Amino acid sequence: MGEVLLHHDRVRPEWIDYNGHLSEPYYVLVFGDATTALMDAVGLDPAYRESTGASLYTVEAHVRYLREVGPDAELTVTTSVLAVGAKKVRLWHELYVGDELVATEELLCLHVADGRAAPFPEAVAERLGAHLTPLPEHAGRAIA
């Protein structure tokens, strides 16, 4: 099993909706920040993006909202890699409050350079491979 990355955040007052809990777009914001943390860890960091013009683009996402999250909650996102191809990577995020799993997100992302899907640099592909984990039970599911 590969290394799982951690990302931490805290629910801010402006993220709370009219129902008194974390609003939907902020789950995705926190997951997006976790994706950026993964990018930094594998060499797709700001310097890489600046020097190459290449980056990771999300082309598909599936979010499961499992539990309400209240104001000021401390958030932890675990990030792992489910698959790596020449030009694409499939990611899995789990969002926790304490020990409770409150949401998951599965992403399909493409490495894009000059407006087209492009192969990952070899070193980046190797680093992504270091985070490979087995498929979780809910990965790849459609809305029922």
Side-chain angles (χ1 to χ4, degrees):
M1 181 156 164
E3 178 187 356
V4 175
L5 294 173
L6 298 177
H7 172 74
H8 300 280
D9 211 328
R10 175 185 289 269
V11 174
R12 298 169 191 151
E14 61 269 25
W15 295 0
I16 299 301
D17 68 11
Y18 43 81
N19 293 320
H21 59 229
L22 181 62
S23 187
E24 290 176 43
Y26 295 103
Y27 288 80
V28 175
L29 174 79
V30 172
F31 286 135
D33 289 344
T35 299
T36 301
L38 170 78
M39 292 172 64
D40 291 349
V42 300
L44 300 174
D45 56 14
Y48 172 82
R49 296 190 300 269
E50 174 93 18
S51 66
T52 65
S55 188
L56 206 58
Y57 286 26
T58 299
V59 295
E60 187 172 347
H62 181 198
V63 178
R64 295 184 317 136
Y65 302 94
L66 305 173
R67 301 281 183 273
E68 290 184 277
V69 176
D72 207 36
E74 290 287 339
L75 308 171
T76 299
V77 180
T78 64
T79 300
S80 54
V81 174
L82 302 181
V84 181
K87 302 175 184 176
K88 62 185 177 183
V89 61
R90 187 171 159 200
L91 303 177
W92 180 260
H93 296 300
E94 293 184 342
L95 177 61
Y96 290 88
V97 175
D99 293 333
E100 185 174 29
L101 179 63
V102 297
T104 66
E105 183 181 56
E106 182 175 2
L107 297 173
L108 178 62
C109 303
L110 295 178
H111 181 250
V112 174
D114 296 323
R116 304 183 65 159
F120 287 110
E122 188 175 320
V124 170
E126 288 177 15
R127 289 186 204 117
L128 285 167
H131 300 282
L132 280 167
T133 60
L135 290 180
E137 177 186 351
H138 297 284
R141 282 189 155 181
I143 296 173

